[in-house]
Amino acid sequence: DTGVSQNPRHKITKRGQNVTFRCDPISEHNRLYWYRQTLGQGPEFLTYFQNEAQLEKSRLLSDRFSAERPKGSFSTLEIQRTEQGDSAMYLCASSPQAGLDTEAFFGQGTRLTVV
Amino acid sequence: GENVEQHPSTLSVQEGDSAVIKCTYSDSASNYFPWYKQELGKRPQLIIDIRSNVGEKKDQRIAVTLNKTAKHFSLHITETQPEDSAVYFCALRDYKLSFGAGTTVTVRA
């Protein structure tokens, strides 16, 4: 499968625990995005990488959230001290470098449930 | 992100009828307007997109129109089928995608 891959697919955690998600983009894609989607809403932008550089973080991304893309390939999203409001689907997407009018491909997402 | 208004939030149509979803936006710098379809429990998938130098684009039963002056774009699905039932999102892009809230389309057999 050469698409965007996310792991794990599902995560149930207790409030206050830390969780980490992984995204493997399509191999030649320089741009990587993280989105959060709650039921009945469209995906909300969290953060964006071009290669290993994190170029923007949404104000939705509190200090408890951190994302990395150390070698410009896979990325991780960590949530510290999880809260029930963090329960959502976390989607990763990637797109090639060329132009701003290229398709972004989404992964299957990681569904987080905080109990 | 950019403000993208999408209407209606739900749409129920009889099989074979047409469905139209409209989106308006405020950012005049956007030049790329994709539409995504998301089935329950699955990832959003691109179904059609349009660039700002084009006013209309068609792909079989799906068409998109763009009016950059008025800052709105629309998705048209003709001859709807039960498998068209899903949530549809409009989006616009500068370097990131900004999504509308989605339209839940139900096609009644």
Side-chain angles (χ1 to χ4, degrees):
Chain A
D1 185 359
T2 57
V4 179
S5 176
Q6 290 188 246
N7 287 288
R9 293 288 307 279
H10 304 273
K11 178 71 177 178
I12 300 174
T13 190
K14 291 184 178 179
R15 189 175 52 189
Q17 297 294 304
N18 300 342
V19 294
T20 300
F21 311 142
R22 177 177 170 128
C23 171
D24 288 89
I26 295 171
S27 60
E28 64 270 22
H29 285 186
N30 300 89
R31 296 179 177 149
L32 186 147
Y33 309 83
W34 284 99
Y35 286 84
R36 181 172 66 189
Q37 187 177 25
T38 54
L39 194 64
Q41 298 297 317
E44 296 175 302
F45 171 77
L46 292 179
T47 191
Y48 155 62
F49 290 86
Q50 184 162 308
N51 300 310
E52 66 276 9
Q54 188 175 17
L55 298 186
E56 184 175 340
K57 294 193 299 183
S58 167
R59 61 181 180 276
L60 293 175
L61 214 63
S62 77
D63 291 343
R64 297 184 297 105
F65 288 69
S66 62
E68 295 183 343
R69 194 183 183 196
K71 298 182 180 178
S73 56
F74 73 91
S75 176
T76 58
L77 177 68
E78 181 183 14
I79 308 174
Q80 297 181 326
R81 304 180 304 281
T82 52
E83 302 172 356
Q84 286 188 323
D86 297 332
S87 296
M89 174 74 82
Y90 289 84
L91 293 164
C92 175
S94 70
S95 67
Q97 173 76 27
L100 294 175
D101 59 351
T102 53
E103 180 179 354
F105 294 82
F106 281 86
Q108 296 274 31
T110 294
R111 181 168 295 284
L112 173 67
T113 302
V114 181
V115 297
Chain B
E2 291 306 323
N3 187 31
V4 185
E5 299 281 341
Q6 183 171 346
H7 299 281
S9 58
T10 60
L11 182 59
S12 179
V13 296
Q14 190 69 38
E15 182 177 0
D17 288 350
S18 296
V20 180
I21 304 170
K22 298 181 180 180
C23 288
T24 60
Y25 64 97
S26 56
D27 175 29
S28 61
S30 297
N31 290 312
Y32 178 65
F33 305 86
W35 285 87
Y36 283 81
K37 176 183 180 182
Q38 188 175 30
E39 297 176 350
L40 190 63
K42 296 188 177 180
R43 75 186 82 190
Q45 292 198 299
L46 181 75
I47 55 171
I48 195 168
D49 55 19
I50 191 167
R51 291 163 178 80
S52 59
N53 59 342
V54 176
E56 183 173 355
K57 182 178 177 181
K58 189 173 182 179
D59 182 4
Q60 300 182 345
R61 297 185 297 106
I62 295 173
V64 58
T65 59
L66 171 65
N67 185 326
K68 279 213 77 177
T69 302
K71 297 183 182 177
H72 64 74
F73 55 115
S74 300
L75 178 72
H76 304 252
I77 308 173
T78 58
E79 301 173 22
T80 53
Q81 301 170 3
E83 54 264 37
D84 294 331
S85 296
V87 182
Y88 292 81
F89 295 99
C90 64
L92 55 84
R93 182 169 182 175
D94 39 24
Y95 56 89
K96 65 180 186 291
L97 286 168
S98 297
F99 286 86
T103 298
T104 301
V105 174
T106 303
V107 180
R108 306 186 307 273

